[in-house]
């Protein structure tokens, strides 16, 4: 168990933070698609948003509720542990979206503390567009026993790796990827943009945004198994495991796990080509048939 004892505030659980509103434009969708090397024509034209674009309208709403639970002195140590999108419909140009978030629980594992966050994004008429579950991770922190709810499970059965995948996609992370992704996503974190800041943080240099890597996996799954139709993607979840560097070559491997008659469920992971390192584990995608 992590050694440092830190008291989290249980009174902050299930308290919705103030909502944030976002106007979706065709240009912003197209910029995001280009910044994630998305090959799907409808995304590049801005006709309909790629799935992971859902983080863009929600970005400013994500962290506010964490401050109601986590002590301010450790807040700056938060890293993105998991991301899980539940799609009710795709985002389209002209949408005026409102996002709000709440912390639903926290727990501790050997390496640190996890804060579970639930977020919902709605259209102006109240229609639920998507829900997001994510884990904020604090390395070396012990929050004590589990309190509240945790995010939905999406663990990959490791025995699948002994089977042939139904799809493999190799992708290249461009040397300027982070400089394109940062403005397109609205994520200004300097570890993705400033070599010295990244090295001062103990990193080997600039690292890619985790959600950019997740966006790579989304179009890999869609192009190979979803007919390049974002309307068919109902859920997409990952656990961020290892850093990705500009210039890396990645391989996403996908296995079919279940079929209900209406949807098919796939598991996937993403690793750096030529190594055993997995940048993304516990990937899950649910696609309408």
């Amino acid at each position: 168990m992590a050694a440092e004892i830190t008291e989290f505030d249980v009174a902050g659980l299930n308290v919705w933070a103030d909502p944030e509103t976002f106007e979706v434009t065709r240009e912003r969708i197209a910029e995001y698609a280009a910044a994630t090397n998305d090959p799907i024509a409808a995304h590049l034209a801005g006709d309909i948003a790629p799935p992971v674009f859902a983080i863009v309208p929600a970005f400013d709403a994500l962290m506010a509720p964490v401050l109601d639970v986590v002590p301010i002195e450790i807040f700056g140590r938060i890293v993105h542990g998991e991301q899980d999108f539940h799609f009710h419909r795709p985002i389209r140009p002209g949408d005026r979206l409102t996002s709000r978030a709440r912390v639903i629980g926290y727990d501790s594992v050997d390496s640190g503390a996890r804060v579970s966050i639930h977020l919902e994004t709605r259209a102006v008429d109240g229609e639920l567009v998507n829900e997001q579950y994510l884990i904020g991770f604090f390395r070396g922190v012990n929050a004590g026993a589990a309190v509240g709810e945790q995010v939905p499970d999406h663990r990959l059965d490791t025995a699948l790796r002994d089977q042939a995948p139904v799809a493999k996609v190799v992708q290249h992370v461009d040397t300027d990827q982070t400089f394109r992704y940062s403005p397109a996503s609205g994520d200004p974190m300097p570890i993705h943009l400033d070599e010295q800041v990244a090295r001062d943080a103990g990193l080997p240099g600039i690292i890619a945004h985790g959600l950019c890597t997740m966006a790579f996996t989304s179009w890999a799954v869609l192009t190979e198994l979803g007919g390049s139709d974002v309307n068919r993607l109902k859920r997409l979840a990952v656990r961020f495991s290892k850093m990705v560097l500009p210039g890396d070559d990645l391989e996403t491997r996908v296995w079919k796990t279940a079929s209900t008659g209406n949807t098919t469920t796939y598991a996937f992971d993403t690793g750096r080509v030529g190594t055993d390192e997995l940048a993304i584990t516990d990937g899950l995608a649910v696609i309408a048939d």
Side-chain angles (χ1 to χ4, degrees):
M1 183 66 67
E4 179 183 332
I5 306 298
T6 302
E7 185 175 353
F8 286 14
D9 188 355
V10 68
L13 297 186
N14 296 306
V15 177
W16 290 104
D18 291 339
E20 299 285 344
T21 300
F22 185 91
E23 304 276 353
V24 181
T25 65
R26 183 178 299 276
E27 292 76 18
R28 189 65 181 271
I29 291 173
E31 181 186 17
Y32 189 88
T36 55
N37 298 0
D38 192 323
I40 297 175
H43 301 168
L44 289 168
D47 295 336
I48 194 166
V52 182
F53 180 87
I55 198 66
V56 178
F59 189 82
D60 289 340
L62 284 177
M63 289 297 104
V66 180
L67 286 168
D68 291 333
V69 175
V70 173
I72 185 65
E73 58 267 25
I74 70 165
F75 179 76
R77 291 163 58 180
I78 192 170
V79 296
H80 203 156
E82 296 185 16
Q83 180 72 34
D84 185 356
F85 293 101
H86 295 240
F87 302 106
H88 297 275
R89 73 152 170 89
I91 293 172
R92 305 182 184 97
D95 277 338
R96 187 172 187 269
L97 303 174
T98 299
S99 299
R100 62 174 187 165
R102 58 178 178 158
V103 174
I104 59 174
Y106 54 84
D107 66 338
S108 301
V109 294
D110 287 345
S111 53
R114 305 183 300 184
V115 174
S116 294
I117 304 165
H118 172 229
L119 180 143
E120 61 175 30
T121 296
R122 294 182 181 271
V124 68
D125 62 357
E127 177 190 13
L128 186 59
V129 175
N130 64 69
E131 295 176 87
Q132 301 179 37
Y133 293 90
L134 61 147
I135 286 179
F137 182 69
F138 296 86
R139 185 171 300 280
V141 172
N142 181 359
V147 177
E149 302 176 56
Q150 274 69 55
V151 299
D153 183 57
H154 53 90
R155 279 174 290 184
L156 181 150
D157 181 355
T158 56
L160 287 170
R161 297 193 178 109
D162 295 328
Q163 304 174 20
V166 296
K168 282 185 181 182
V169 180
V170 174
Q171 301 160 304
H172 181 70
V173 182
D174 297 328
T175 55
D176 67 345
Q177 200 85 51
T178 64
F179 297 96
R180 290 156 43 215
Y181 186 82
S182 181
S185 65
D187 183 344
M189 288 286 287
I191 60 171
H192 305 298
L193 302 169
D194 189 304
E195 193 79 21
Q196 190 58 52
V197 169
R199 292 186 183 279
D200 289 346
L203 300 169
I206 287 172
I207 63 171
H209 301 73
L211 284 161
C212 183
T213 305
M214 187 179 187
F216 274 43
T217 69
S218 73
W219 62 254
V221 169
L222 278 178
T223 55
E224 292 294 312
L225 301 161
S228 296
D229 182 1
V230 71
N231 291 280
R232 293 176 56 190
L233 187 62
K234 302 305 177 186
R235 185 180 175 190
L236 185 74
V238 301
R239 183 171 75 86
F240 301 107
S241 181
K242 298 286 185 180
M243 68 186 73
V244 171
L245 305 178
D248 278 348
D249 290 309
L250 305 176
E251 181 180 69
T252 296
R253 302 177 298 173
V254 188
W255 297 268
K256 180 179 176 179
T257 60
S259 181
T260 66
N262 296 316
T263 61
T264 301
T265 301
Y266 299 93
F268 65 88
D269 60 24
T270 299
R272 295 164 71 178
V273 173
T275 76
D276 294 327
E277 294 183 359
L278 292 174
I280 282 179
T281 61
D282 297 328
L284 180 145
V286 179
I287 299 177
D289 295 333

